[in-house]
């Protein structure tokens, strides 16, 4: 059953974190911060919603990096109940898809809880001051595959230029985060 993200709480400050990446180094909020903005997305390896848009996520990440926006992904799913989301499988998933961004493991799920992440994918777009300006979806492709509106790209480009996100945002839809008991 699909789950949707909450609406954007404009100006909400990004919470601190320190998480290991699939490429071997740890990342903090400060080390992940982009010059003109930061996109933090919660994804996982097994979610059909993520898998179906993964190529678009990778393309948008590459495009956004050209605007001085740093992009990173976090997997917070319970890997005991969902072993395909284990750290070892995250490393393989990253390698198989050549992620152009760090893929971080939130084993204790504290980062997802601090962000209020709800689904995969769940996108958090911050301005250069790490204030939330976008909490929406990647695009409208599922609704209108003939006329795709690149909502995440447009919002993050706007944030890079002005520090502000669009007032109209559609929530992301995906699988719920798989919380530990």
């Amino acid at each position: 059953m699909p789950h949707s993200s909450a609406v954007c709480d404009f100006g909400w400050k990004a919470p601190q974190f320190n998480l290991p990446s699939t490429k071997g180094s740890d990342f903090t909020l400060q080390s992940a911060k982009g010059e003109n903005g930061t996109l933090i997305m919660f994804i996982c390896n097994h979610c059909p919603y993520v898998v179906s848009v993964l190529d678009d996520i990778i393309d948008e990440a590459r495009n956004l990096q050209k605007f001085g926006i740093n992009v990173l992904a976090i997997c917070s799913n319970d890997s005991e109940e969902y072993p395909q989301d284990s750290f070892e499988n995250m490393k393989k998933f990253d390698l198989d898809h050549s992620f152009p961004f760090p893929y971080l493991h939130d084993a204790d799920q504290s980062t997802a809880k601090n962000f209020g992440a709800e689904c995969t994918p769940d996108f958090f777009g911050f301005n250069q001051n790490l204030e939330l300006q976008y909490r929406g979806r990647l695009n409208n492709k599922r609704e209108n595959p003939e006329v795709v509106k690149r909502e995440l790209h447009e919002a993050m480009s706007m944030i890079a230029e002005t520090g502000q996100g669009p007032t109209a945002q559609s929530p992301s839809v995906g699988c719920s985060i798989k919380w530990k008991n």
Side-chain angles (χ1 to χ4, degrees):
M1 179 163 170
H3 191 86
S4 60
S5 64
V7 295
C8 185
D9 181 8
F10 287 95
W12 176 78
K13 290 291 247 180
Q16 299 295 323
F17 58 82
N18 186 349
L19 297 171
S21 81
T22 54
K23 292 179 175 64
S25 52
D26 289 1
F27 283 82
T28 65
L29 180 62
Q30 289 308 315
S31 69
K33 182 181 173 188
E35 182 182 337
N36 295 322
T38 306
L39 174 64
I40 298 173
M41 54 190 160
F42 288 82
I43 66 170
C44 69
N45 302 348
H46 86 275
C47 170
Y49 290 92
V50 171
V51 171
S52 71
V53 297
L54 195 55
D55 289 341
D56 290 340
I57 287 174
I58 291 167
D59 288 345
E60 293 299 12
R62 283 193 178 106
N63 286 321
L64 291 172
Q65 289 165 344
K66 295 173 190 170
F67 290 92
I69 296 168
N70 204 15
V71 178
L72 58 139
I74 300 172
C75 180
S76 301
N77 276 357
D78 177 359
S79 61
E80 287 182 29
E81 288 293 318
Y82 296 86
Q84 57 272 58
D85 290 331
S86 72
F87 194 45
E88 287 308 310
N89 284 327
M90 286 173 58
K91 291 176 184 176
K92 183 178 179 334
F93 196 68
D94 178 353
L95 213 56
D96 289 349
H97 296 283
S98 304
F99 285 170
F101 46 78
Y103 191 22
L104 311 179
H105 189 219
D106 179 22
D108 69 3
Q109 301 185 314
S110 62
T111 301
K113 288 176 183 166
N114 289 340
F115 271 78
E118 298 180 56
C119 59
T120 55
D122 201 348
F123 301 97
F124 293 79
F126 297 94
N127 63 19
Q128 64 184 5
N129 299 319
L130 295 170
E131 299 163 335
L132 188 65
Q133 295 296 315
Y134 188 71
R135 178 92 189 266
R137 63 187 178 185
L138 178 68
N139 58 40
N140 68 334
K141 193 182 273 187
R142 286 185 323 158
E143 292 170 5
N144 192 349
E146 280 78 50
V147 184
V148 176
K149 185 171 184 221
R150 296 168 63 198
E151 294 171 40
L152 176 67
H153 184 272
E154 290 170 15
M156 292 307 298
S157 300
M158 181 179 177
I159 292 165
E161 285 180 34
T162 69
Q164 304 286 305
T167 54
Q169 300 179 10
S170 298
S172 187
V173 173
C175 296
S176 63
I177 300 262
K178 306 308 181 208
W179 301 107
K180 296 177 180 181
N181 289 334

